[in-house]
Amino acid sequence: MPEEIIIVRGNSKLAGTVAVSGAKNSALKLMAASILGQGVSVVHNVPLISDINIMADVIRRLGATVERDGHTLAIDATNVTECETPYELVSKMRASISVLGPLVGRFGRARVAMPGGCQIGARKIDMHMIGLEALGVNFEIDHGFLEATTPNGLHGAHVVLEFPSVGATENMVMASVVAEGATVIENAAREPEIVDLVNMLNAMGARVSGAGSSIIEIEGVPLQSMHPCEHTTVGDRIEAGTFLAGAALVGGPVTVTGIDASFLRMALMKLDAMGCEIEVEGDSITVSRTEPIQAIDIQTLPHPGFPTDLQAQYMLLASLAEGNSVISENVFENRFMFASELVRMGADITIEGHHALVRGVERLQGAPVSSTDLRAGAALVLAGIAAEGETHVHEISHIDRGYEDYVGKLRSLGADVERTVLP
Ligand code: EPZ
């Protein structure tokens, strides 16, 4: 099959204004949550990316209909049954596991293919299972499928998560909103996408408080009292951070619109420390840089710590900084593959366990490189913009999973990039 790649010519140009799309890591869960609405829910500002198409296929297989009109999805969950979520879809996108909580909530049972790992780590779901077991769910593993049942019904519980897992927090919230009694989740994930999900669930009749803090409290309501709603997805903070990192890389100024700057406090603090000028006005953020990039140290952590999904983009900045930076990846066990691709472009990076020592170099050179995950792929395109010569980025389907019209948006900012199919 002919391969499509992105060709980047290093012109070091990124300036102008770009509107970010709705957050992938919220929209996917909003689609799953619509199962609890038992009717037609409408979700606006949904990004046009392949992961959304896979999630649409997952909930269609469960009996829902999904109609798209531009960035709006109308999801009719009236006829959803708890039939299984097939392996071929879950293996394509592990976020399909997000239907587990709503299915258990609505039907008291579910059959979901166990998600595999991926390039960046094992991506286990033990915390999802432990949390749901506390609510009364029994799990059997049957030939690669997770068989969930609730022999004594779904009841509230006080659960402390071992790690503030985004997915585990979301599945527990979506199951507990219709459990008998109250639930407390301690050490809950605090990501803005969790807040967005809870806002939609509350609009559907749920009673959830504390989202965005590490203690989320849920007062169970009868399933029958849950109803569909209309909701607008928040802006994608990782897409916004990617374009702002591009501005920091080549100077900008780049303005991203449609994003709440409070979602990116740590990422913006690091750009400031690296010598960038940052302006926030309403739902837009502008970044520019005239001084040399300053070296910085970064620890990726659960929100509000530095986001692991911006680690590759900031490693790129560090590779052209004055001095040495240390970047520690504390969320995933294998998210430094990007470094070896950047080294092929002339970066000087040494990996020691979950630390990367990045020694700043004068310049990068264009080279053929391969995306190892969607964020690394996006960062490699940015690297090509700053590099001398031409860069060919392969495996770009990773990028299409999470970035709507990435090449088009970069071209609108003056980048010399194009998609092309190799003969
Ligand atoms: C979500 O993944 C995002 N994906 C990821 O974005 C993001 O990097 C991650 O949160 C952290 O912010 C979606 O929302 C679809 P976790 P998730 O559960 O929910 C381990 C992107 O680029 N863990 O917080 O899977 C896990 O292996 C993607 O858009 C367990 O060990 O993240 C990982 O090392 C990449 N057991 C760490 O915790 C569990 O039961 C964080 O995982 C659950 C998680």
Side-chain angles (χ1 to χ4, degrees):
M1 169 129 125
E3 185 195 4
E4 188 177 22
I5 65 168
I6 293 175
I7 297 181
V8 194
R9 293 174 192 88
N11 67 354
S12 289
K13 268 197 185 40
L14 277 180
T17 299
V18 66
V20 298
S21 301
K24 164 178 89 80
N25 292 345
S26 177
L28 292 171
K29 296 35 163 330
L30 303 176
M31 293 168 76
S34 66
I35 291 169
L36 289 164
Q38 307 157 76
V40 182
S41 290
V42 176
V43 184
H44 299 291
N45 201 27
V46 174
L48 297 164
I49 54 177
S50 55
D51 270 11
I52 294 292
N53 300 335
I54 296 172
M55 182 58 91
D57 288 345
V58 167
I59 56 178
R60 283 190 186 106
R61 291 286 282 268
L62 293 169
T65 61
V66 182
E67 305 292 327
R68 176 190 276 284
D69 174 11
H71 291 92
T72 293
L73 294 185
I75 302 167
D76 185 350
T78 310
N79 301 316
V80 166
T81 65
E82 81 287 4
C83 71
E84 74 185 42
T85 304
Y87 176 71
E88 72 268 13
L89 287 176
V90 175
S91 59
K92 272 190 211 164
M93 183 187 66
R94 63 176 315 281
S96 319
I97 195 73
S98 300
V99 301
L100 179 59
L103 287 175
V104 161
R106 180 164 168 183
F107 302 105
R109 55 178 304 111
R111 181 175 165 80
V112 181
M114 295 282 283
C118 67
Q119 295 266 31
I120 62 179
R123 310 296 295 270
K124 296 188 305 178
I125 57 166
D126 53 318
M127 287 187 260
H128 296 240
M129 294 171 69
I130 290 166
L132 292 173
E133 282 164 350
L135 300 177
V137 179
N138 280 356
F139 286 108
E140 302 280 332
I141 295 181
D142 167 30
H143 295 89
F145 282 86
L146 205 53
E147 192 79 52
T149 55
T150 51
N152 305 313
L154 213 49
H155 55 74
H158 189 128
V159 179
V160 185
L161 285 178
E162 192 176 338
F163 177 90
S165 153
V166 171
T169 302
E170 291 163 341
N171 262 329
M172 285 200 63
V173 167
M174 289 191 279
S176 62
V177 290
V178 288
E180 184 73 34
T183 295
V184 174
I185 306 172
E186 273 191 75
N187 199 23
R190 301 169 55 185
E191 275 69 4
E193 293 76 29
I194 304 261
V195 178
D196 200 29
L197 172 63
V198 164
N199 287 341
M200 178 171 166
L201 288 168
N202 284 341
M204 293 166 76
R207 292 200 192 125
V208 186
S209 57
S213 80
S214 56
I215 298 182
I216 299 180
E217 299 187 73
I218 302 105
E219 192 187 324
V221 298
L223 173 65
Q224 291 68 25
S225 68
M226 294 289 283
H227 51 79
C229 77
E230 188 161 358
H231 182 83
T232 298
T233 316
V234 292
D236 192 318
R237 62 193 165 98
I238 304 301
E239 183 193 13
T242 302
F243 284 109
L244 295 175
L249 186 69
V250 296
V254 170
T255 299
V256 295
T257 61
I259 186 66
D260 178 340
S262 72
F263 293 174
L264 281 164
R265 276 204 187 93
M266 183 59 73
L268 294 177
M269 278 166 58
K270 291 297 179 182
L271 288 184
D272 178 61
M274 295 175 98
C276 295
E277 291 84 44
I278 299 161
E279 279 169 54
V280 175
E281 194 172 333
D283 76 343
S284 69
I285 307 169
T286 302
V287 168
S288 58
R289 181 181 59 79
T290 50
E291 300 301 315
I293 299 175
Q294 300 306 304
I296 37 106
D297 293 343
I298 286 179
Q299 295 270 358
T300 70
L301 286 167
H303 193 78
F306 188 89
T308 173
D309 294 347
L310 287 177
Q311 182 249 101
Q313 299 90 320
Y314 279 56
M315 181 181 284
L316 167 58
L317 292 176
S319 72
L320 287 170
E322 283 186 338
N324 300 340
S325 304
V326 175
I327 297 181
S328 305
E329 172 55 59
N330 301 304
V331 176
F332 289 102
E333 65 267 32
N334 186 32
R335 203 170 194 177
F336 279 145
M337 283 90 58
F338 165 75
S340 49
E341 295 304 301
L342 208 51
V343 164
R344 301 183 61 246
M345 296 178 74
D348 180 349
I349 304 171
T350 307
I351 305 292
E352 287 286 336
H354 70 123
H355 302 289
L357 171 61
V358 186
R359 296 181 180 85
V361 295
E362 284 293 310
R363 67 185 59 77
L364 295 174
Q365 296 156 10
V369 289
S370 186
S371 309
T372 49
D373 73 80
L374 72 157
R375 309 302 174 186
L380 286 168
V381 176
L382 295 180
I385 293 170
E388 281 177 351
E390 193 166 285
T391 297
H392 290 194
V393 182
H394 296 259
E395 307 292 329
I396 60 173
S397 59
H398 284 293
I399 301 175
D400 295 337
R401 293 190 50 184
Y403 288 88
E404 177 181 335
D405 190 18
Y406 189 53
V407 165
K409 291 183 178 180
L410 287 170
R411 289 173 67 88
S412 75
L413 296 173
D416 184 350
V417 295
E418 60 182 308
R419 297 175 76 108
T420 185
V421 178
L422 292 180

